[in-house]
Amino acid sequence: MNNFNQAKERNLRMNSSLVRAGLAIAAALISTPLFAANLQSIDVGALPGDSVELRLQFDEPVATPRGYTIEQPARIAIDLPGVVNKSGAKNREIAVGAAKSMTIVEAKDRTRLIINLSTLKPYSTRTDGNAVYIVVGEAGGSTASSSLAPLTQPAKASPKPYTAYSAAEKSISAIDFQRGSQGEGNVVIDLSAASVSPDITDQGGKIKLVFAKTDLPEALRVRLDVKDFATPVQFVSASSQMDKATVIIEPTGSYDYMAYQTDNRLTVSVKPLTQAEKAKRDENRFAYTGEKLSLNFQDIDVRSVLQLIADFTDLNLVASDSVQGSITLRLQNVPWDQALDLVLKTKGLDQRKIGNVLLIAPADEIAARERQELESQQLMAELAPLRRELIQVNYAKAADIAKLFESVTAADDQGQGGSAGRGSLTVDDRTNSIIAYQTQDRLDELRRVVSQLDIPVRQVLIESRIVEADVGYEKDLGVRWRGLSSGDNNWVVGGGSGGGVTSGTLGTFVDLGANAATSSLGIGFITDNTILDLELTAMESTGNGEVISQPKVVTSDKETAKILKGKEIPYQEASSSGATTTQFKDAVLSLEVTPQITPDDQVIMEVKVTKDDIDDSVPRINGVPALKTNEVNAKVLVRDGETIVIGGVFTTQQGKTVEKVPFLGDLPYMGQLFKNTRVLDKKSELLIFLTPRIMKGSAITAEQ
């Protein structure tokens, strides 16, 4: 009997073990666990190669864990479905390799193990009976992209020890820098074999190349300063840590890079970008900015994926009851907002974020809810009571603000249907006030508009200075021959300006004297019947003159001001009937300016400066005088109180005129007595200076 009972107990225990084994196999094949296991202990052990192994001991077999990695901050999250933490610890320091600590968090139907890392490392998982092994580091034999799949190692296989690679297998033999023909910086790296390839990333404005299991000679572990090459690259740093070599390229400004490898030579080309190229690149740049995560699930419930993303982002998530279905996804180092967007688009969902709460529901449901809210708001606006209020306007015109407000709200009134045309706005010009009969929302909006538009207008003092400078030099030197001969002989000698011969009067043989001569010198020969006279005439004039005009005008922001000073010149003009009328021509100095004050206290000015004077050197035609006109039109940007030259004219007139008697004027030495030489050298300059001054305070004082 005892033997029978013992055999029965053994059969029951065997059957129980078979059931448990079957449940474990079923749990490994389906995504939802069918049992609950207890986490009893966690053991941590160091492995060669700066790796760490975590051994999770359970009271019964568990399903293969799933997890994801986070790049910033670096950590690994492992989900244990249907597991209850009975180890008695929620936080534990590790301080082995890249693993700093671990945290255990329990949820309703699962337990999450979070491993905090100093730098992101690959990991692998495997199950062995009631134990789960997690290896973090290169000793795991896999990368983060494949860490979610279980290892196919034997149940009690020990981790593969770390094996160092010799320099003869993988190494970097040379690092060089060259400047390209278009100003790009080329970092050339010679490798020991063509099979050596780096992992290239652009992080924090630096291009990082990581060569796994590659040796870097001590002589190449330097920091190169390449600023003098005039390329975007400033520094190139090479270092080695454990079994990997790292090359960091530090560019500056706007840049783009391209890496290509030919045989055993790797070239990283960094080229500068223009503003247009940078703008185009920014338009096409990845629009997602969330922290990166990795997800690898087969036929998982959509609500579970949303819960994972909410846990990762620490957002409060509300999912509608209509969010159903499952999804299969594999995402590696993808921003969480992109992952969420992909899930929502795949399942026809939409999101609304209100504060720190994320609402997830079908797009049609959200649209219907928002439409209902808008209709409710519109109905409330139609039924809202009207109120009357007096609004005082201080600086602006009340009529202008009322007209502007009515034009802005006209479109809203058209869309409100029955509420269109409700209320009124009346303007009292005497008190510059607005009497509004509107709903409370419209009254609040009107007050906001008045408070923003009814502000004192800033004023600007425009100082202009017109400087005219003249420098002139004239020189005129000539001779005049006169004579008379008459008497007993048969010859009569004389002359005149017309070449005729006169008798008995002193005639001019040659008149090449200076115009408006200031001095002269005469030498004569006289006999009884002959007079010969030689007169030297000369004129020399030098003059300097400067005329300064300083018109000033004060005007408000964006208002045109004009100042005139001068005279009107009358003249007679005959009509077709023979009658004469008096007409006037303006000869004035005018300044017309329209300032615009920018938010950074600069002034944009549209300026027109004219200065007209009578030109007496030109004879009048039919009594109409000629005018010298100077005009400058400009639009400039000037800082407050700074002076700028907005226009200038520099004129130089040089001339030399020689008048002489034919043949006699060409004689050596004696020819100077039959010549007139006139030299002219005049210079004139017109400059226009402009100085804007923004007036501050109620009291305005203009500098005189």
mmCIF file of all heavy atoms in Angstrom, residues 16 52 62 103 130 135 137 183 205 219 257 340 366 371 449-450 486 497 548-549 562 569 589 591 634 650 685:
data_model
loop_
_atom_site.group_PDB
_atom_site.id
_atom_site.type_symbol
_atom_site.label_atom_id
_atom_site.label_comp_id
_atom_site.label_asym_id
_atom_site.label_seq_id
_atom_site.Cartn_x
_atom_site.Cartn_y
_atom_site.Cartn_z
ATOM 1 N N SER A 16 2.985 16.924 -12.881
ATOM 2 C CA SER A 16 3.099 18.356 -12.600
ATOM 3 C C SER A 16 4.288 18.962 -13.326
ATOM 4 O O SER A 16 4.215 20.069 -13.864
ATOM 5 C CB SER A 16 3.222 18.572 -11.089
ATOM 6 O OG SER A 16 3.390 19.938 -10.792
ATOM 7 N N VAL A 52 29.421 42.531 -18.493
ATOM 8 C CA VAL A 52 28.777 42.133 -17.253
ATOM 9 C C VAL A 52 27.627 41.187 -17.582
ATOM 10 O O VAL A 52 26.964 41.333 -18.614
ATOM 11 C CB VAL A 52 28.288 43.370 -16.467
ATOM 12 C CG1 VAL A 52 27.258 44.163 -17.277
ATOM 13 C CG2 VAL A 52 27.708 42.985 -15.116
ATOM 14 N N VAL A 62 10.141 30.899 -17.372
ATOM 15 C CA VAL A 62 9.478 32.106 -17.852
ATOM 16 C C VAL A 62 9.677 32.208 -19.354
ATOM 17 O O VAL A 62 10.539 31.537 -19.938
ATOM 18 C CB VAL A 62 10.023 33.379 -17.155
ATOM 19 C CG1 VAL A 62 9.740 33.327 -15.675
ATOM 20 C CG2 VAL A 62 11.515 33.538 -17.422
ATOM 21 N N THR A 103 17.262 49.051 -11.920
ATOM 22 C CA THR A 103 16.030 49.371 -11.230
ATOM 23 C C THR A 103 14.952 48.392 -11.666
ATOM 24 O O THR A 103 14.828 48.076 -12.849
ATOM 25 C CB THR A 103 15.584 50.808 -11.536
ATOM 26 O OG1 THR A 103 16.637 51.720 -11.169
ATOM 27 C CG2 THR A 103 14.330 51.174 -10.771
ATOM 28 N N ASN A 130 14.982 27.744 -15.124
ATOM 29 C CA ASN A 130 14.336 28.801 -14.355
ATOM 30 C C ASN A 130 15.161 30.078 -14.297
ATOM 31 O O ASN A 130 14.842 30.976 -13.506
ATOM 32 C CB ASN A 130 14.061 28.309 -12.926
ATOM 33 C CG ASN A 130 13.063 27.180 -12.884
ATOM 34 O OD1 ASN A 130 12.413 26.851 -13.883
ATOM 35 N ND2 ASN A 130 12.931 26.534 -11.724
ATOM 36 N N VAL A 135 23.532 39.476 -20.863
ATOM 37 C CA VAL A 135 24.932 39.843 -21.023
ATOM 38 C C VAL A 135 25.000 41.203 -21.690
ATOM 39 O O VAL A 135 24.459 41.399 -22.786
ATOM 40 C CB VAL A 135 25.699 38.798 -21.844
ATOM 41 C CG1 VAL A 135 27.158 39.206 -22.000
ATOM 42 C CG2 VAL A 135 25.595 37.423 -21.185
ATOM 43 N N GLY A 137 27.488 44.067 -23.184
ATOM 44 C CA GLY A 137 28.840 44.288 -23.657
ATOM 45 C C GLY A 137 29.156 43.410 -24.843
ATOM 46 O O GLY A 137 28.332 42.625 -25.334
ATOM 47 N N GLY A 183 37.256 73.950 -51.325
ATOM 48 C CA GLY A 183 37.285 74.364 -49.933
ATOM 49 C C GLY A 183 36.841 73.321 -48.943
ATOM 50 O O GLY A 183 36.661 73.641 -47.756
ATOM 51 N N GLY A 205 27.439 68.197 -33.312
ATOM 52 C CA GLY A 205 28.308 68.994 -34.172
ATOM 53 C C GLY A 205 29.663 68.374 -34.418
ATOM 54 O O GLY A 205 30.561 69.060 -34.906
ATOM 55 N N ALA A 219 51.701 56.469 -32.108
ATOM 56 C CA ALA A 219 52.111 57.673 -32.820
ATOM 57 C C ALA A 219 50.945 58.413 -33.460
ATOM 58 O O ALA A 219 51.050 59.610 -33.740
ATOM 59 C CB ALA A 219 53.153 57.322 -33.881
ATOM 60 N N TYR A 257 28.796 66.337 -44.846
ATOM 61 C CA TYR A 257 29.925 65.419 -45.016
ATOM 62 C C TYR A 257 29.504 64.191 -45.812
ATOM 63 O O TYR A 257 28.335 63.830 -45.872
ATOM 64 C CB TYR A 257 30.502 65.006 -43.654
ATOM 65 C CG TYR A 257 29.672 64.010 -42.883
ATOM 66 C CD1 TYR A 257 29.926 62.644 -42.970
ATOM 67 C CD2 TYR A 257 28.641 64.428 -42.058
ATOM 68 C CE1 TYR A 257 29.170 61.723 -42.254
ATOM 69 C CE2 TYR A 257 27.882 63.525 -41.338
ATOM 70 C CZ TYR A 257 28.150 62.167 -41.440
ATOM 71 O OH TYR A 257 27.414 61.255 -40.742
ATOM 72 N N LEU A 340 5.606 56.803 -32.415
ATOM 73 C CA LEU A 340 4.196 57.028 -32.122
ATOM 74 C C LEU A 340 3.426 57.427 -33.374
ATOM 75 O O LEU A 340 2.304 56.962 -33.606
ATOM 76 C CB LEU A 340 4.068 58.097 -31.043
ATOM 77 C CG LEU A 340 2.650 58.511 -30.653
ATOM 78 C CD1 LEU A 340 1.875 57.324 -30.100
ATOM 79 C CD2 LEU A 340 2.683 59.652 -29.628
ATOM 80 N N ILE A 366 -11.995 61.859 -32.962
ATOM 81 C CA ILE A 366 -11.467 63.138 -32.495
ATOM 82 C C ILE A 366 -12.069 64.296 -33.281
ATOM 83 O O ILE A 366 -12.430 65.334 -32.718
ATOM 84 C CB ILE A 366 -9.933 63.139 -32.580
ATOM 85 C CG1 ILE A 366 -9.354 62.156 -31.567
ATOM 86 C CG2 ILE A 366 -9.380 64.536 -32.338
ATOM 87 C CD1 ILE A 366 -7.839 62.087 -31.563
ATOM 88 N N ARG A 371 -15.655 68.887 -33.553
ATOM 89 C CA ARG A 371 -16.777 69.541 -34.237
ATOM 90 C C ARG A 371 -17.912 69.826 -33.254
ATOM 91 O O ARG A 371 -18.542 70.896 -33.288
ATOM 92 C CB ARG A 371 -17.271 68.666 -35.376
ATOM 93 C CG ARG A 371 -18.311 69.368 -36.267
ATOM 94 C CD ARG A 371 -18.840 68.428 -37.349
ATOM 95 N NE ARG A 371 -17.784 67.922 -38.187
ATOM 96 C CZ ARG A 371 -17.349 66.656 -38.138
ATOM 97 N NH1 ARG A 371 -17.910 65.798 -37.287
ATOM 98 N NH2 ARG A 371 -16.382 66.250 -38.931
ATOM 99 N N VAL A 449 -7.729 94.812 -28.222
ATOM 100 C CA VAL A 449 -7.306 95.537 -29.419
ATOM 101 C C VAL A 449 -6.956 96.979 -29.087
ATOM 102 O O VAL A 449 -5.940 97.519 -29.547
ATOM 103 C CB VAL A 449 -8.412 95.461 -30.495
ATOM 104 C CG1 VAL A 449 -8.071 96.382 -31.665
ATOM 105 C CG2 VAL A 449 -8.574 94.042 -30.992
ATOM 106 N N VAL A 450 -7.780 97.635 -28.263
ATOM 107 C CA VAL A 450 -7.510 99.027 -27.891
ATOM 108 C C VAL A 450 -6.230 99.135 -27.081
ATOM 109 O O VAL A 450 -5.414 100.047 -27.281
ATOM 110 C CB VAL A 450 -8.711 99.612 -27.126
ATOM 111 C CG1 VAL A 450 -8.375 100.992 -26.559
ATOM 112 C CG2 VAL A 450 -9.921 99.717 -28.037
ATOM 113 N N SER A 486 51.624 157.690 -90.299
ATOM 114 C CA SER A 486 51.113 158.509 -91.404
ATOM 115 C C SER A 486 52.027 159.715 -91.574
ATOM 116 O O SER A 486 52.702 160.134 -90.634
ATOM 117 C CB SER A 486 49.662 158.933 -91.116
ATOM 118 O OG SER A 486 49.620 159.738 -89.948
ATOM 119 N N SER A 497 40.121 145.726 -84.634
ATOM 120 C CA SER A 497 39.650 144.374 -84.338
ATOM 121 C C SER A 497 39.072 143.687 -85.550
ATOM 122 O O SER A 497 39.109 142.477 -85.678
ATOM 123 C CB SER A 497 38.596 144.407 -83.206
ATOM 124 O OG SER A 497 37.482 145.210 -83.605
ATOM 125 N N ILE A 548 26.840 125.776 -46.099
ATOM 126 C CA ILE A 548 26.309 124.717 -45.254
ATOM 127 C C ILE A 548 24.857 125.035 -44.937
ATOM 128 O O ILE A 548 24.539 126.108 -44.434
ATOM 129 C CB ILE A 548 27.123 124.564 -43.954
ATOM 130 C CG1 ILE A 548 28.592 124.221 -44.271
ATOM 131 C CG2 ILE A 548 26.505 123.492 -43.069
ATOM 132 C CD1 ILE A 548 29.468 124.108 -43.057
ATOM 133 N N SER A 549 23.992 124.097 -45.228
ATOM 134 C CA SER A 549 22.576 124.202 -44.900
ATOM 135 C C SER A 549 22.219 123.063 -43.967
ATOM 136 O O SER A 549 22.613 121.910 -44.201
ATOM 137 C CB SER A 549 21.718 124.141 -46.166
ATOM 138 O OG SER A 549 22.105 125.145 -47.088
ATOM 139 N N LYS A 562 7.792 117.284 -44.196
ATOM 140 C CA LYS A 562 8.447 118.037 -45.253
ATOM 141 C C LYS A 562 8.720 119.446 -44.757
ATOM 142 O O LYS A 562 7.858 120.086 -44.139
ATOM 143 C CB LYS A 562 7.575 118.072 -46.515
ATOM 144 C CG LYS A 562 8.234 118.725 -47.714
ATOM 145 C CD LYS A 562 7.361 118.615 -48.952
ATOM 146 C CE LYS A 562 8.046 119.211 -50.171
ATOM 147 N NZ LYS A 562 7.190 119.110 -51.394
ATOM 148 N N ILE A 569 10.954 132.778 -57.837
ATOM 149 C CA ILE A 569 11.497 133.732 -58.801
ATOM 150 C C ILE A 569 10.413 134.068 -59.807
ATOM 151 O O ILE A 569 9.921 133.184 -60.518
ATOM 152 C CB ILE A 569 12.736 133.148 -59.503
ATOM 153 C CG1 ILE A 569 13.784 132.715 -58.459
ATOM 154 C CG2 ILE A 569 13.328 134.145 -60.478
ATOM 155 C CD1 ILE A 569 14.905 131.929 -59.038
ATOM 156 N N LEU A 589 15.217 125.006 -50.689
ATOM 157 C CA LEU A 589 15.867 123.896 -50.016
ATOM 158 C C LEU A 589 14.771 123.109 -49.290
ATOM 159 O O LEU A 589 14.069 123.658 -48.433
ATOM 160 C CB LEU A 589 16.914 124.387 -49.028
ATOM 161 C CG LEU A 589 17.500 123.337 -48.067
ATOM 162 C CD1 LEU A 589 18.280 122.277 -48.832
ATOM 163 C CD2 LEU A 589 18.393 123.991 -47.016
ATOM 164 N N LEU A 591 13.395 119.260 -47.452
ATOM 165 C CA LEU A 591 13.695 117.967 -46.843
ATOM 166 C C LEU A 591 12.374 117.251 -46.612
ATOM 167 O O LEU A 591 11.527 117.726 -45.862
ATOM 168 C CB LEU A 591 14.452 118.125 -45.523
ATOM 169 C CG LEU A 591 14.637 116.856 -44.685
ATOM 170 C CD1 LEU A 591 15.490 115.838 -45.445
ATOM 171 C CD2 LEU A 591 15.271 117.169 -43.340
ATOM 172 N N ALA A 634 16.717 108.536 -51.302
ATOM 173 C CA ALA A 634 17.363 107.374 -50.705
ATOM 174 C C ALA A 634 16.438 106.738 -49.683
ATOM 175 O O ALA A 634 15.533 107.381 -49.140
ATOM 176 C CB ALA A 634 18.692 107.754 -50.050
ATOM 177 N N PHE A 650 30.790 115.196 -56.735
ATOM 178 C CA PHE A 650 32.094 115.838 -56.845
ATOM 179 C C PHE A 650 32.332 116.173 -58.311
ATOM 180 O O PHE A 650 32.303 115.287 -59.172
ATOM 181 C CB PHE A 650 33.196 114.936 -56.309
ATOM 182 C CG PHE A 650 34.564 115.544 -56.369
ATOM 183 C CD1 PHE A 650 34.959 116.498 -55.445
ATOM 184 C CD2 PHE A 650 35.465 115.186 -57.358
ATOM 185 C CE1 PHE A 650 36.223 117.063 -55.493
ATOM 186 C CE2 PHE A 650 36.719 115.745 -57.422
ATOM 187 C CZ PHE A 650 37.101 116.696 -56.479
ATOM 188 N N GLU A 685 32.076 120.300 -54.682
ATOM 189 C CA GLU A 685 31.645 119.064 -54.023
ATOM 190 C C GLU A 685 30.384 119.345 -53.228
ATOM 191 O O GLU A 685 30.265 120.352 -52.541
ATOM 192 C CB GLU A 685 32.745 118.524 -53.108
ATOM 193 C CG GLU A 685 32.430 117.158 -52.506
ATOM 194 C CD GLU A 685 33.591 116.576 -51.743
ATOM 195 O OE1 GLU A 685 34.584 117.320 -51.529
ATOM 196 O OE2 GLU A 685 33.535 115.387 -51.367
#
